[in-house]
Amino acid sequence: MKAMPPQSFYFSLMLCGLMSLAFSFKEAAVATPTIGCSYSEVERDALLAFQANVKDPSHRLASWSPRIDCCKWSGVVCRSSKANNATLFQVQHVVELNLSNVDYKHTLRGEILSPSLLNLTQLQLLDLSGNDFEGTPIPHFIGSFQKLKYLELSGSNFSGVIPSQLGNLSSLYHLGLQSTLDAASIAHRLDWLSGLSSLSYLDMSGVNLSTVSQNWLSVVNMLPSLRELYLHICGLTYIPSSFNFHLNLTSLITLGLGGNNFNSTLPNWLWNLTEMSTLHFYSSSLFGPIPMEIGNLTSLISLSLSFNSLSGSIPIELGNLTSLISLDLSINSLSGPIPIELGNLTSLEKLDLSYNLLSGSIPTEIGNLTSLISLDLYLNSLSGFIPTEIGNLISLTSLWLFGNLLSGSIPTQIGNLTSLTNLELSSNSLSGLIPTDIGNLTNLISIDLSMNALSGPIPSEISKLSNLKSLRLSYNSLVSVVSELHLANLTNLTGLALGENSRITISLDYDWVPPFQLISIDLASCIVGPRFPGWLRSQKSMLELSLSNTSIEDNLPNWFWNISSATIGIIDLSRNKFSGALPSSLEGMPTLEILILSYNKLEGLVPRWPIQINMLELSFNNFSGPLPSISFYFSSLQSSIHFGFEIMLSNNQINGSIPSYICNLKLRGSLDLSNNELSGEIPKCWQVEAARSLYFVHLGNNKLSGEIPRSLGNLIGLRSLHLNNNNLSGHLPPSLQNCHELVVLDLADNKFSGRIPAWIGQSLLQLTILRLRSNDLFGVIPPNLGELKNLQIIDLANNNLWEIPYSFGHFNAITSTSRAMDWINSPEDRLDGFEYGENDSISIITKGIEYYFSSTLYLVKSIDLSNNGLTGEIPMTLGSLAGLQTLNLSRNNLRGKIPCTISGMRSLETLDLSFNNLSDVIPQGLSALTALSHLNLSYNNLSGKIPSGNQLQTLEDASIYKGNIYLCGDVIQKNCSDYKRNNLTVEGICYWIMVYVYHLIIQERMEEHLFSNDGQNV
């Protein structure tokens, strides 16, 4: 190649230079310099003024400095535009201000919407969500941001009226005004929405829309571009079932109306919104069936109809919604089987059908839902086996099937669910062994198999579950020896419940130091003893400990009261053989709320209890001495810091008087000091506020004296009052008639005098048990006692009463043969741990023997009027007491015939009419009492032949009829050949008397139902 001449080289170099210079001039002519917002002092100063008005404790706005271009400040976005046509420079304007606080950890507070922001004339996006307006209203000038397209103020604690000026933001496509629950924001009108024709997103959840409840839908229907609508918890009460105008919402993809009170069926127009992907109608007072038309919404991804009153079956058309990812129909009244068509929903990740009335088996098609992450079918009536196909759900993390009627064994295929973190199968009827395959579930955090019928050993493979925090196997029939082998690898374990498995033996070395710190321990009814478990010494974080009925025969070690002393809340060591004394004070346990040590052999003084305690149960021990002294300051403070305090110290040897601070404690539930050696008077300082929730008071079987204090009538919530077996005297105070809720009144075995007050029958209308036996009461038995419809145990024996009222044949509870009265099972009678018969124990003398009834007390129906001065005849009306089991009228001065209506007492088991002046024949109807097992008619003036046949054939004891010299019959071996009386005529007379008496009773009952007290026909 020839070399280039020098002149040609220089020419070429000069040509390149000229071209480069020309290109540079061109660039200079086209490009325009850009100036940041610091050039526009107005916008910068507007932001600085905003900054000055807010509180910024987390320094989110630290970058907002005048020395830095405001376009580079945190949360500020700028965009370029020409300053004017005369300049080549472009200016950066603030178009977005995004100070949203997503995690609610870096909150701005104060005047977040400052008027200075109006100087941001190009602002298109404003997001202040998650901050704190401190309850101030949204200012009216919000409507002056003419170019605003996106406004998000959700969760910002604004209140007051939503300004209608928002309707001026004609370019707006996103409006978020979600109000927090503690803020009081309200919209009196919604017509301003019509100005937002471009709006595609609207969230006014939590805003009070009750005043626009009738027309909210017609207003929203005028937004043709709306795609997402959220009106959760807005106080809406109306949703039309159908449209009377054109439906413009056909582009809607999200509709959230949960937490309102529509009291309606699902509206028909919903099924036309075929593009909808999200429909949330939870907790909206919906009722009626789920229409089959729901199958039209084939674009649905998420459907929530939970917490309503929907009924009927689950429509099979739900199987058409194959795009569904989440389906929640929980907490309704849906019934029938789970449709097999749900097996078509192969994209489903969450299925919640819990808390319904579903029955039948779990369909095997459930195994098709291989994308499922959460399966909740708990609290239904599902039966049958758990299908083995459940092992196909390998993505499942939560399986909740508790509270059903499932039976059979736990399928071994459950071991395939290696992603499972929660396995809840409790409260079913599952049987068989716990499968060893459970050891494959190494991601398990919680397993609950309690309240089943599982048997066999606890598999050692459970030790592989190193992530396990909660292991609950209580209330089964497991037979196992639990050793360190089971527990040594469970380093994350915080909850262990093996209770009520009486054949589980806890065999852990006394000095073993577990690798975990348990929060909750339940080993009740397992075999733990005889030594107290020393391994508990290492547990420093316990909240609950139950070692009830665990065969421990040991002293409570001193170190026990120090472990977890800063955290323990519940201790139950009852029904063992613990001995020794407790510490003199438990006040160093600041979190102890429940202490149950009953049924042991503990002795010494009752300790001073901590101020926050809610239940102290030390019954059935050997505690002695007086109750601890507590200052007035302590008792007042205790009353103020918690909701109530139960004290149960019965069956000890506690002496001294009942301290007056008892009145100052805010007692709740039960006060039981019975069966001790307490003396002196009952405190007189009872206050309404201090003991409004006190339901059960038992001071019986002590040595108390004096009168019942009038202030005891301030216990207006009292259901059960036992003062029996003391030395109390005086009249029954009228203030007790304020205790309208009394169910049990036991004042027996005292020295009360005077008459039985009539206010018992007038005011204590819930009374079921009345025991006044063995006092010094006299006079007429108030007839209005017979009008107490619930009264079923009446014991007035051993007094000086005069006559049996005819109204005693009217006891509704005893005329019925029902064993369990409806009122006993009502929710009101199970409040706050008090349940009729649960705490009560009543002595009843029947068949000549004293029996104690407690848990079966509600089944007993008895009348005992023995050993009084009763005169006159036995009322014929008593024959209507068909449910009566025991009738004792012995040792009185009753005369006349045994009423032939006695055959109507068909439940009678015990009848004692001995030691009276009864005469004439024994009615043949007595033989019709098929339940009768104890009869005493001795020492009367009865005559004639002793009836025979049926039940009387089994009562062959001649002493039944002793002292009736004119009786005859085989049972007393006395010939009746001289007995001339026409028994058929006597029985015929008895028959017509019974018809007449029953006619009177029926007529009286009809009059009660037909006429009100003022005589007006109802």
Side-chain angles (χ1 to χ4, degrees), residues 360 362 377-386 399-408 410 423-431 448-454 474-476:
I362 300 173
L377 304 178
Y378 61 89
L379 293 175
N380 279 287
S381 297
L382 298 171
S383 57
F385 298 166
I386 299 174
L399 177 59
W400 296 68
L401 303 180
F402 70 85
N404 281 288
L405 304 172
L406 299 171
S407 58
I410 299 173
L423 176 60
E424 305 287 339
L425 305 180
S426 65
S427 300
N428 281 287
S429 298
L430 298 171
S431 57
D448 191 350
L449 307 180
S450 61
M451 297 186 181
N452 280 289
L454 299 171
S474 53
Y475 291 93
N476 278 288

Short mmCIF file of all heavy atoms in Angstrom, two decimals, residues 360 362 377-386 399-408 410 423-431 448-454 474-476:
data_model
loop_
_atom_site.label_atom_id
_atom_site.label_comp_id
_atom_site.label_asym_id
_atom_site.label_seq_id
_atom_site.Cartn_x
_atom_site.Cartn_y
_atom_site.Cartn_z
N GLY A 360 -71.80 -35.55 57.18
CA GLY A 360 -71.27 -36.47 56.20
C GLY A 360 -69.76 -36.59 56.32
O GLY A 360 -69.14 -36.05 57.23
N ILE A 362 -65.69 -36.40 54.90
CA ILE A 362 -64.82 -35.54 54.10
C ILE A 362 -64.62 -36.22 52.76
O ILE A 362 -64.14 -37.36 52.71
CB ILE A 362 -63.46 -35.32 54.80
CG1 ILE A 362 -63.67 -34.67 56.17
CG2 ILE A 362 -62.54 -34.48 53.94
CD1 ILE A 362 -62.40 -34.58 57.00
N LEU A 377 -61.71 -27.23 58.50
CA LEU A 377 -63.04 -27.86 58.53
C LEU A 377 -63.51 -28.06 59.96
O LEU A 377 -64.44 -28.82 60.21
CB LEU A 377 -63.00 -29.21 57.81
CG LEU A 377 -62.50 -29.22 56.36
CD1 LEU A 377 -62.48 -30.64 55.81
CD2 LEU A 377 -63.36 -28.32 55.49
N TYR A 378 -62.92 -27.36 60.89
CA TYR A 378 -63.20 -27.60 62.31
C TYR A 378 -64.58 -27.10 62.73
O TYR A 378 -65.22 -26.30 62.06
CB TYR A 378 -62.11 -26.97 63.18
CG TYR A 378 -61.95 -25.48 63.08
CD1 TYR A 378 -62.68 -24.62 63.88
CD2 TYR A 378 -61.04 -24.92 62.19
CE1 TYR A 378 -62.53 -23.25 63.80
CE2 TYR A 378 -60.87 -23.55 62.09
CZ TYR A 378 -61.61 -22.73 62.90
OH TYR A 378 -61.45 -21.36 62.80
N LEU A 379 -65.06 -27.64 63.86
CA LEU A 379 -66.34 -27.27 64.47
C LEU A 379 -67.51 -27.44 63.50
O LEU A 379 -68.26 -26.52 63.21
CB LEU A 379 -66.29 -25.85 65.03
CG LEU A 379 -65.35 -25.66 66.23
CD1 LEU A 379 -65.27 -24.19 66.63
CD2 LEU A 379 -65.77 -26.51 67.40
N ASN A 380 -67.62 -28.66 62.97
CA ASN A 380 -68.78 -29.07 62.21
C ASN A 380 -69.28 -30.39 62.80
O ASN A 380 -68.98 -30.71 63.95
CB ASN A 380 -68.41 -29.23 60.73
CG ASN A 380 -68.39 -27.91 59.99
OD1 ASN A 380 -69.45 -27.35 59.71
ND2 ASN A 380 -67.20 -27.40 59.69
N SER A 381 -70.03 -31.15 62.03
CA SER A 381 -70.48 -32.47 62.46
C SER A 381 -70.05 -33.51 61.45
O SER A 381 -70.77 -34.47 61.16
CB SER A 381 -72.01 -32.48 62.64
OG SER A 381 -72.41 -31.59 63.65
N LEU A 382 -68.87 -33.33 60.92
CA LEU A 382 -68.34 -34.26 59.93
C LEU A 382 -68.02 -35.59 60.59
O LEU A 382 -67.52 -35.64 61.72
CB LEU A 382 -67.09 -33.68 59.27
CG LEU A 382 -67.31 -32.37 58.49
CD1 LEU A 382 -65.99 -31.77 58.07
CD2 LEU A 382 -68.21 -32.61 57.28
N SER A 383 -68.31 -36.67 59.90
CA SER A 383 -68.13 -38.01 60.47
C SER A 383 -67.34 -38.86 59.50
O SER A 383 -66.89 -38.41 58.44
CB SER A 383 -69.49 -38.63 60.77
OG SER A 383 -70.30 -38.68 59.61
N GLY A 384 -67.19 -40.12 59.87
CA GLY A 384 -66.44 -41.02 59.02
C GLY A 384 -64.94 -40.89 59.22
O GLY A 384 -64.48 -40.24 60.16
N PHE A 385 -64.18 -41.51 58.32
CA PHE A 385 -62.73 -41.53 58.44
C PHE A 385 -62.11 -40.29 57.80
O PHE A 385 -62.71 -39.65 56.93
CB PHE A 385 -62.15 -42.78 57.75
CG PHE A 385 -62.62 -44.07 58.37
CD1 PHE A 385 -62.42 -45.26 57.70
CD2 PHE A 385 -63.24 -44.10 59.61
CE1 PHE A 385 -62.83 -46.47 58.25
CE2 PHE A 385 -63.65 -45.29 60.17
CZ PHE A 385 -63.46 -46.48 59.50
N ILE A 386 -60.91 -39.97 58.23
CA ILE A 386 -60.11 -38.99 57.50
C ILE A 386 -59.61 -39.68 56.24
O ILE A 386 -58.94 -40.71 56.32
CB ILE A 386 -58.92 -38.50 58.36
CG1 ILE A 386 -59.41 -37.83 59.64
CG2 ILE A 386 -58.04 -37.54 57.56
CD1 ILE A 386 -58.29 -37.46 60.60
N LEU A 399 -53.68 -27.88 58.95
CA LEU A 399 -54.80 -28.81 58.84
C LEU A 399 -55.58 -28.76 60.15
O LEU A 399 -55.11 -29.21 61.19
CB LEU A 399 -54.29 -30.23 58.57
CG LEU A 399 -55.35 -31.33 58.51
CD1 LEU A 399 -56.36 -31.04 57.41
CD2 LEU A 399 -54.70 -32.69 58.29
N TRP A 400 -56.80 -28.19 60.07
CA TRP A 400 -57.63 -27.98 61.26
C TRP A 400 -58.93 -28.76 61.09
O TRP A 400 -59.81 -28.35 60.33
CB TRP A 400 -57.94 -26.49 61.43
CG TRP A 400 -56.72 -25.64 61.68
CD1 TRP A 400 -55.71 -25.38 60.82
CD2 TRP A 400 -56.40 -24.94 62.88
NE1 TRP A 400 -54.78 -24.55 61.41
CE2 TRP A 400 -55.18 -24.26 62.67
CE3 TRP A 400 -57.04 -24.80 64.12
CZ2 TRP A 400 -54.58 -23.48 63.64
CZ3 TRP A 400 -56.45 -24.01 65.09
CH2 TRP A 400 -55.24 -23.37 64.87
N LEU A 401 -59.04 -29.87 61.80
CA LEU A 401 -60.24 -30.72 61.72
C LEU A 401 -60.87 -30.93 63.09
O LEU A 401 -61.73 -31.80 63.24
CB LEU A 401 -59.88 -32.09 61.12
CG LEU A 401 -59.21 -32.11 59.74
CD1 LEU A 401 -58.92 -33.53 59.32
CD2 LEU A 401 -60.07 -31.41 58.71
N PHE A 402 -60.49 -30.18 64.09
CA PHE A 402 -60.97 -30.44 65.44
C PHE A 402 -62.46 -30.11 65.58
O PHE A 402 -63.05 -29.39 64.79
CB PHE A 402 -60.15 -29.65 66.47
CG PHE A 402 -60.36 -28.17 66.47
CD1 PHE A 402 -61.40 -27.59 67.18
CD2 PHE A 402 -59.50 -27.33 65.80
CE1 PHE A 402 -61.59 -26.23 67.19
CE2 PHE A 402 -59.66 -25.96 65.81
CZ PHE A 402 -60.72 -25.41 66.51
N GLY A 403 -63.09 -30.71 66.61
CA GLY A 403 -64.48 -30.42 66.91
C GLY A 403 -65.46 -31.01 65.92
O GLY A 403 -66.47 -30.39 65.59
N ASN A 404 -65.18 -32.24 65.44
CA ASN A 404 -66.10 -32.95 64.56
C ASN A 404 -66.44 -34.30 65.17
O ASN A 404 -66.26 -34.51 66.38
CB ASN A 404 -65.48 -33.11 63.17
CG ASN A 404 -65.59 -31.85 62.34
OD1 ASN A 404 -66.68 -31.49 61.88
ND2 ASN A 404 -64.47 -31.14 62.15
N LEU A 405 -66.95 -35.21 64.36
CA LEU A 405 -67.31 -36.56 64.81
C LEU A 405 -66.49 -37.60 64.05
O LEU A 405 -66.94 -38.72 63.83
CB LEU A 405 -68.81 -36.80 64.59
CG LEU A 405 -69.76 -35.80 65.24
CD1 LEU A 405 -71.20 -36.05 64.78
CD2 LEU A 405 -69.68 -35.87 66.76
N LEU A 406 -65.30 -37.22 63.67
CA LEU A 406 -64.47 -38.11 62.87
C LEU A 406 -64.04 -39.32 63.68
O LEU A 406 -63.77 -39.21 64.89
CB LEU A 406 -63.24 -37.35 62.36
CG LEU A 406 -63.54 -36.15 61.45
CD1 LEU A 406 -62.29 -35.34 61.19
CD2 LEU A 406 -64.17 -36.62 60.14
N SER A 407 -63.98 -40.46 63.03
CA SER A 407 -63.64 -41.71 63.72
C SER A 407 -62.57 -42.44 62.92
O SER A 407 -62.06 -41.96 61.91
CB SER A 407 -64.89 -42.57 63.89
OG SER A 407 -65.49 -42.84 62.62
N GLY A 408 -62.26 -43.63 63.40
CA GLY A 408 -61.22 -44.40 62.74
C GLY A 408 -59.84 -43.93 63.17
O GLY A 408 -59.68 -43.09 64.06
N ILE A 410 -55.89 -42.37 62.55
CA ILE A 410 -55.23 -41.28 61.81
C ILE A 410 -54.47 -41.94 60.65
O ILE A 410 -53.64 -42.83 60.88
CB ILE A 410 -54.25 -40.52 62.72
CG1 ILE A 410 -55.00 -39.90 63.90
CG2 ILE A 410 -53.50 -39.46 61.94
CD1 ILE A 410 -54.09 -39.27 64.94
N LEU A 423 -51.14 -29.14 63.03
CA LEU A 423 -52.00 -30.31 62.89
C LEU A 423 -52.96 -30.33 64.08
O LEU A 423 -52.55 -30.58 65.21
CB LEU A 423 -51.16 -31.59 62.85
CG LEU A 423 -51.93 -32.92 62.80
CD1 LEU A 423 -52.79 -32.98 61.54
CD2 LEU A 423 -50.97 -34.09 62.84
N GLU A 424 -54.24 -30.05 63.81
CA GLU A 424 -55.24 -29.92 64.87
C GLU A 424 -56.38 -30.90 64.61
O GLU A 424 -57.24 -30.67 63.77
CB GLU A 424 -55.80 -28.48 64.90
CG GLU A 424 -54.75 -27.39 65.05
CD GLU A 424 -54.17 -27.33 66.44
OE1 GLU A 424 -54.83 -27.82 67.37
OE2 GLU A 424 -53.06 -26.79 66.60
N LEU A 425 -56.36 -32.03 65.34
CA LEU A 425 -57.37 -33.08 65.17
C LEU A 425 -58.12 -33.34 66.47
O LEU A 425 -58.77 -34.39 66.61
CB LEU A 425 -56.70 -34.38 64.70
CG LEU A 425 -55.84 -34.32 63.44
CD1 LEU A 425 -55.26 -35.69 63.12
CD2 LEU A 425 -56.63 -33.79 62.26
N SER A 426 -58.08 -32.45 67.41
CA SER A 426 -58.67 -32.68 68.73
C SER A 426 -60.19 -32.72 68.69
O SER A 426 -60.83 -32.31 67.71
CB SER A 426 -58.21 -31.59 69.70
OG SER A 426 -58.71 -30.33 69.31
N SER A 427 -60.78 -33.22 69.77
CA SER A 427 -62.23 -33.24 69.96
C SER A 427 -62.95 -33.96 68.83
O SER A 427 -63.89 -33.45 68.23
CB SER A 427 -62.77 -31.82 70.12
OG SER A 427 -62.20 -31.18 71.23
N ASN A 428 -62.48 -35.17 68.53
CA ASN A 428 -63.16 -36.07 67.61
C ASN A 428 -63.32 -37.42 68.32
O ASN A 428 -63.29 -37.49 69.54
CB ASN A 428 -62.36 -36.20 66.31
CG ASN A 428 -62.57 -35.03 65.38
OD1 ASN A 428 -63.63 -34.90 64.77
ND2 ASN A 428 -61.57 -34.14 65.27
N SER A 429 -63.50 -38.48 67.55
CA SER A 429 -63.59 -39.84 68.11
C SER A 429 -62.54 -40.72 67.45
O SER A 429 -62.78 -41.91 67.19
CB SER A 429 -64.99 -40.41 67.91
OG SER A 429 -65.96 -39.62 68.58
N LEU A 430 -61.40 -40.15 67.18
CA LEU A 430 -60.34 -40.91 66.53
C LEU A 430 -59.80 -41.97 67.48
O LEU A 430 -59.68 -41.75 68.69
CB LEU A 430 -59.22 -39.97 66.09
CG LEU A 430 -59.63 -38.90 65.06
CD1 LEU A 430 -58.52 -37.89 64.86
CD2 LEU A 430 -60.01 -39.55 63.73
N SER A 431 -59.47 -43.13 66.93
CA SER A 431 -59.01 -44.24 67.75
C SER A 431 -57.75 -44.84 67.14
O SER A 431 -57.24 -44.38 66.11
CB SER A 431 -60.11 -45.29 67.88
OG SER A 431 -60.50 -45.75 66.59
N ASP A 448 -52.10 -31.10 67.99
CA ASP A 448 -53.13 -31.27 69.01
C ASP A 448 -54.01 -32.46 68.63
O ASP A 448 -54.81 -32.39 67.70
CB ASP A 448 -53.97 -30.00 69.15
CG ASP A 448 -54.89 -30.03 70.37
OD1 ASP A 448 -55.01 -31.12 70.99
OD2 ASP A 448 -55.47 -28.98 70.71
N LEU A 449 -53.85 -33.56 69.37
CA LEU A 449 -54.65 -34.76 69.16
C LEU A 449 -55.50 -35.05 70.40
O LEU A 449 -55.99 -36.16 70.58
CB LEU A 449 -53.74 -35.96 68.88
CG LEU A 449 -52.71 -35.82 67.75
CD1 LEU A 449 -51.90 -37.09 67.60
CD2 LEU A 449 -53.38 -35.45 66.44
N SER A 450 -55.71 -34.06 71.23
CA SER A 450 -56.40 -34.25 72.50
C SER A 450 -57.88 -34.54 72.30
O SER A 450 -58.44 -34.31 71.23
CB SER A 450 -56.22 -33.02 73.39
OG SER A 450 -56.76 -31.87 72.77
N MET A 451 -58.52 -35.08 73.36
CA MET A 451 -59.95 -35.36 73.38
C MET A 451 -60.38 -36.28 72.24
O MET A 451 -61.28 -35.99 71.47
CB MET A 451 -60.76 -34.06 73.37
CG MET A 451 -60.53 -33.20 74.58
SD MET A 451 -61.62 -31.77 74.64
CE MET A 451 -61.06 -30.99 76.14
N ASN A 452 -59.69 -37.41 72.14
CA ASN A 452 -60.06 -38.47 71.23
C ASN A 452 -60.08 -39.77 72.01
O ASN A 452 -60.19 -39.77 73.23
CB ASN A 452 -59.08 -38.51 70.05
CG ASN A 452 -59.38 -37.46 69.00
OD1 ASN A 452 -60.36 -37.57 68.28
ND2 ASN A 452 -58.53 -36.43 68.92
N ALA A 453 -59.97 -40.89 71.30
CA ALA A 453 -59.92 -42.20 71.96
C ALA A 453 -58.67 -42.94 71.51
O ALA A 453 -58.66 -44.16 71.34
CB ALA A 453 -61.18 -43.00 71.62
N LEU A 454 -57.59 -42.19 71.31
CA LEU A 454 -56.34 -42.79 70.86
C LEU A 454 -55.75 -43.68 71.95
O LEU A 454 -55.88 -43.39 73.14
CB LEU A 454 -55.35 -41.69 70.48
CG LEU A 454 -55.80 -40.77 69.33
CD1 LEU A 454 -54.86 -39.59 69.18
CD2 LEU A 454 -55.88 -41.56 68.02
N SER A 474 -53.70 -34.71 75.47
CA SER A 474 -54.51 -34.95 76.67
C SER A 474 -55.88 -35.54 76.32
O SER A 474 -56.33 -35.49 75.18
CB SER A 474 -54.69 -33.65 77.46
OG SER A 474 -55.18 -32.62 76.64
N TYR A 475 -56.53 -36.14 77.34
CA TYR A 475 -57.87 -36.73 77.21
C TYR A 475 -57.92 -37.80 76.11
O TYR A 475 -58.69 -37.72 75.18
CB TYR A 475 -58.92 -35.65 76.97
CG TYR A 475 -59.16 -34.76 78.17
CD1 TYR A 475 -58.47 -33.57 78.31
CD2 TYR A 475 -60.08 -35.12 79.16
CE1 TYR A 475 -58.67 -32.75 79.42
CE2 TYR A 475 -60.28 -34.32 80.27
CZ TYR A 475 -59.57 -33.13 80.40
OH TYR A 475 -59.77 -32.34 81.49
N ASN A 476 -57.05 -38.80 76.24
CA ASN A 476 -57.09 -39.98 75.39
C ASN A 476 -56.97 -41.20 76.28
O ASN A 476 -57.19 -41.12 77.49
CB ASN A 476 -55.96 -39.92 74.35
CG ASN A 476 -56.31 -39.05 73.15
OD1 ASN A 476 -57.13 -39.44 72.33
ND2 ASN A 476 -55.70 -37.87 73.07
#
